[in-house]
Amino acid sequence: MALTDQVTDVLNKQINAEFYSSYLYLTFADYYEDRGLKGFANWYMIQAKEEMDHALAIRRYLLDNDFTPTMEAIAKPDKTFGSDIEPLEAGLEHEEYVTSLIHHCYEVAHEAHDVRTMKFLDWFVSEQGEEETNARDMTTNMKLFGCDPKGLYDLDREYQARVYTQMTALPL
Ligand code: FEO
């Protein structure tokens, strides 16, 4: 069964949103590199790679459903940061926004009675829940411990330990 134009349109837009997320998180990593917080930089570099995986998974889904996606221009992230907590707060706000986009994709699929796409999007719905939790925890940790040099050092060490593993839940 072919995907409807509405479903392919919204998923194509989501590819772009995921690439933008990747781009945005690269700028977060750049900020923390500049600050000498290589653990925070590592965490966001890995996040940037995960976001690219999300984009590629949606691309693969469209291709596997006989639709060739269009790679649109990616917007320039324009935020500048004046303190170490600002990227974390911007990250939480961004993930809440991406959750709303994913939910919209789900609603469009639901309206089209497109059970296959709804099932595909299930993974993204869960992932967004996890990403919001991570972003919220990082903001809370920074508020609690980041004001003290030893606390900041320990957080940076913790985020240095994050390791990238390529997405396996969906084909890329
Ligand atoms: Fe793939 Fe966090 O949006």
Side-chain angles (χ1 to χ4, degrees), residues 29-172:
D30 291 346
Y31 169 84
Y32 287 119
E33 280 280 341
D34 187 52
R35 288 276 298 127
L37 292 166
K38 288 188 180 283
F40 284 79
N42 173 63
W43 202 94
Y44 277 113
M45 272 303 294
I46 290 168
Q47 196 58 34
K49 288 179 187 170
E50 285 198 357
E51 297 300 351
M52 190 170 295
D53 284 354
H54 299 168
L56 295 178
I58 300 169
R59 169 186 175 271
R60 171 51 52 200
Y61 179 77
L62 287 174
L63 289 171
D64 287 348
N65 282 276
D66 202 26
F67 179 83
T68 305
T70 303
M71 294 300 129
E72 302 288 358
I74 303 167
K76 179 181 178 181
D78 58 1
K79 283 192 193 316
T80 54
F81 304 114
S83 72
D84 296 337
I85 198 167
E86 286 180 24
L88 306 177
E89 290 174 335
L92 176 56
E93 191 181 325
H94 182 68
E95 286 305 329
E96 287 171 347
Y97 170 65
V98 174
T99 296
S100 75
L101 296 180
I102 291 290
H103 288 189
H104 178 62
C105 290
Y106 197 95
E107 284 159 16
V108 171
H110 186 259
E111 279 166 20
H113 307 291
D114 183 344
V115 177
R116 184 187 303 152
T117 299
M118 288 160 65
K119 192 166 183 320
F120 168 74
L121 288 169
D122 272 347
W123 183 88
F124 286 87
V125 172
S126 303
E127 174 72 4
Q128 281 310 121
E130 286 175 26
E131 293 197 342
E132 282 187 31
T133 301
N134 286 338
R136 201 174 297 111
D137 287 351
M138 288 178 83
T139 306
T140 303
N141 284 341
M142 182 61 100
K143 282 180 186 158
L144 285 173
F145 311 117
C147 44
D148 162 65
K150 175 72 167 74
L152 186 61
Y153 177 78
D154 287 346
L155 282 179
D156 197 53
R157 288 286 293 267
E158 183 183 327
Y159 299 144
Q160 185 72 55
R162 187 181 186 192
V163 175
Y164 169 70
T165 43
Q166 186 176 288
M167 180 182 189
T168 53
L170 297 166
L172 301 181

